[in-house]
């Protein structure tokens, strides 16, 4: 049920210079979702009546991603006035003029803050009838953060930014997480009065604390249960640390749900993937994107599955697959490369050093060794010989190969597409299949073999081969 008295403003207009990236910071992926996607998901969990996002840097890419992730979000552009205070002022202006509830302010670059912690913050804020409640955190190293300045009795006086703090204030280890709950009315009256007279020449949202206190309003700061929850991603070191922490939580969640994870440290599971009970993940496995793995399947070691669907009891070993469907009881790898559009039927096999693309391989059919199979349909119960290549590309267009059911193709065949092999047909080893093969036929086009006795003794005299041939009783002919 939506809370008509709750709005969320997500700040995402900052430059993110420390990422040193051509990509906007909030669009860097974390567990397979852009950073800001985690924040938007949390915002949605709060059931707020309005979710406003403020953008500026890389505006179009960020706005597109936001609307993709959360179509009901309101996107607001920040103008040339810099600072978190200006961002919130513009976000507030996008809310209905008569909105009189609470405004939660969060940063688009703080992905691990969960809805439960925010819910507690909102509850504390409402219980105190506060004008603002800041989520703080106690950290070991407060460098770079705004500090919470309290008086002797513990009441919050103000927040001072690193750049503006005196030596004593820099000793404070309680920091501002950049997450707040404000009474909408307090923001409306206070924000226009904040100036940019500070070390960074920005309109600081944090100046609201001192201003509200001076007006006699209730000002609170509540510490987060753990400081990692409020850690922002400002550079790639923090990005990796945040990703590892989130992954550890995701892996643990699946372990408790019945998934065996042999080596949590080298197993990565994206947040949109799902795993059934009794799935087994071996070391070095990445379950990426929106992959689903059914009960009893065994994945890894050293395997990446991106947006795949894996059936019950299937096995995938040392392989890479994207947008592939792997049937129940099927086996893939070791060392297979399944590209988009691969569909392997139940109990099928795509074996060692096999690459597939847009290939539908029917139930029980096998491509066991050293092959490329593209733009191909294979029926049921067929066996594709070792070293088979579908020549699907004529340099301009792609063409299809259609193999029927219960076909046996020989080793080292080339299927020059477009070509069709009928049900139950055979092809000989080394066949270059240029014409359709009718059902039940054997296709061969290999040239007759000619043996030249004594050729080695004559042409390679004195070599180890000649000595071995001589010992085997081979005679030179003239
Ligand atoms: C801010 C806080 C600081 C706090 C820290 C927590 C202020 C003045 N300071 O500092 O007290 O400890 O966050 O991480 O608020 N943003 C905009 N528009 C802007 C500037 C920033 O939307 O003009 C957004 C950023 O995209 C980001 C968030 O606001 O999501 C915080 O901005 P950032 O530059 O990281 O603020 P800090 O200087 O770290
Ligand atoms: Ca920050």
């Amino acid at each position: 049920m939506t809370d008509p008295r709750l709005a969320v403003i997500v700040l995402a207009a900052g430059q993110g210079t420390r990422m040193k990236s051509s990509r906007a910071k909030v669009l860097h992926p974390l567990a397979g979702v852009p950073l800001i996607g985690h924040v938007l998901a949390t915002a949605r969990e709060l059931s707020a009546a309005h979710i406003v996002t403020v953008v500026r840097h890389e505006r179009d890419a960020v706005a597109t991603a936001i609307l993709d992730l959360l179509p009901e979000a309101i996107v607001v552009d920040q103008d040339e006035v810099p600072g978190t205070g200006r961002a919130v002022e513009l976000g507030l202006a996008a809310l209905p003029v008569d909105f009189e509830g609470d405004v939660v302010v969060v940063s688009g670059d703080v992905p691990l803050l969960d809805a439960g912690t925010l819910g507690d913050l909102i509850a504390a804020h409402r219980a105190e009838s506060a004008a603002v409640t800041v989520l703080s955190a106690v950290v070991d190293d407060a460098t770079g953060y705004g500090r919470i300045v309290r008086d002797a009795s513990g009441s919050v006086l103000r927040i001072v930014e690193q750049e503006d703090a005196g030596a004593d204030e820099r000793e404070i280890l309680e920091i501002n997480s950049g997450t707040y709950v404000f009474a909408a009315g307090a923001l409306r009256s206070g924000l226009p009065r904040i100036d940019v007279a500070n070390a960074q020449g920005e309109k600081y949202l944090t100046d609201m604390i001192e201003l509200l206190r001076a007006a006699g309003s209730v000002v609170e700061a509540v510490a987060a249960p753990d400081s990692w929850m409020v850690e922002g991603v400002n550079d790639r070191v923090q990005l990796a640390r945040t990703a590892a922490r989130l992954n550890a939580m995701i892996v643990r969640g699946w372990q408790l749900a019945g998934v065996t994870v042999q080596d949590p440290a080298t197993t990565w599971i994206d947040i949109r993937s799902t795993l059934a009970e009794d799935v087994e993940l071996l070391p070095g496995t990445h379950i990426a994107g929106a992959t689903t793995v059914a009960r009893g399947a065994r994945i890894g070691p050293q395997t990446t599955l991106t947006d795949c669907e894996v059936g019950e009891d299937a096995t995938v070993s040392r392989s890479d697959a994207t947008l592939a469907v792997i049937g129940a009881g099927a086996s893939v790898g070791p060392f297979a490369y399944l590209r988009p559009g691969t569909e392997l039927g139940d109990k099928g096999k795509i074996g060692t050093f096999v690459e597939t693309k847009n290939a539908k391989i029917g139930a029980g059919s096998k491509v066991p060794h050293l092959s490329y199979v593209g733009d191909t349909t294979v029926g049921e119960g067929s066996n594709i010989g070792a070293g088979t290549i579908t020549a699907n590309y004529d340099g301009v267009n792609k063409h299809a190969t259609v193999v029927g059911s219960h076909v046996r193709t020989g080793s080292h065949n080339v299927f020059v597409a477009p070509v069709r092999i009928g049900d139950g047909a055979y092809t000989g080893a080394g066949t270059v299949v240029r014409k359709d093969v009718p059902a039940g036929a054997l296709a061969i086009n290999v040239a007759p073999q000619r043996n030249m006795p004594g050729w080695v003794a004559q042409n390679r005299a004195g070599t180890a081969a000649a000595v071995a041939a001589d010992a085997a009783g081979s005679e030179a002919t003239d």
Side-chain angles (χ1 to χ4, degrees), residues 10-16 18 25-26 36 53-57 78-88 105-110 134-135 142 144-148 159-164 175-180 198 200 202-207 230-234:
V10 180
L11 304 186
Q15 274 213 352
R18 279 172 283 169
K25 173 167 75 178
V26 292
I36 196 165
T53 59
V54 186
V55 300
R56 179 171 169 86
H57 182 70
Q78 190 167 351
D79 57 16
E80 53 293 324
V81 179
T84 48
R86 182 60 176 169
V88 171
V105 176
V106 293
S107 292
D109 60 356
V110 180
V134 182
L135 184 65
Y145 287 102
R147 313 295 207 280
I148 309 283
I159 294 175
V160 63
E161 292 304 294
Q162 167 90 19
E163 287 80 356
D164 305 287
I175 57 107
N176 168 27
S177 72
T179 303
Y180 322 76
N198 52 56
Q200 301 186 94
E202 292 183 3
K203 193 159 178 161
Y204 288 167
L205 179 60
T206 45
D207 284 357
V230 298
E231 187 174 338
V233 174
N234 295 301

Side-chain angles (χ1 to χ4, degrees), residues 248-270:
M249 293 193 282
I250 295 171
V251 166
R252 184 169 190 277
W254 288 117
Q255 288 176 311
L256 295 176
V259 173
T260 292
V261 179
Q262 279 193 359
D263 184 16
T266 63
T267 302
W268 291 81
I269 304 172
D270 281 358

Side-chain angles (χ1 to χ4, degrees), residues 350-407:
I350 294 175
T352 311
F353 301 116
V354 174
E355 174 180 346
T356 59
K357 182 216 75 172
N358 186 28
K360 305 202 178 0
I361 296 164
S365 286
K366 296 179 178 174
V367 188
H369 331 273
L370 299 159
S371 295
Y372 169 66
V373 176
D375 300 315
T376 297
T377 307
V378 178
E380 296 186 359
S382 291
N383 192 81
I384 305 299
T388 291
I389 303 295
T390 54
N392 60 328
Y393 185 44
D394 62 13
V396 180
N397 295 307
K398 302 281 173 69
H399 301 283
T401 298
V402 180
V403 177
S405 292
H406 303 288
V407 169

Side-chain angles (χ1 to χ4, degrees), residues 113 117 121 134-138 174 177 222-230:
L113 186 58
T117 304
L121 189 72
V134 182
L135 184 65
S136 68
V138 179
E174 187 184 8
S177 72
V222 178
D226 281 300
S227 64
W228 57 259
M229 288 182 164
V230 298

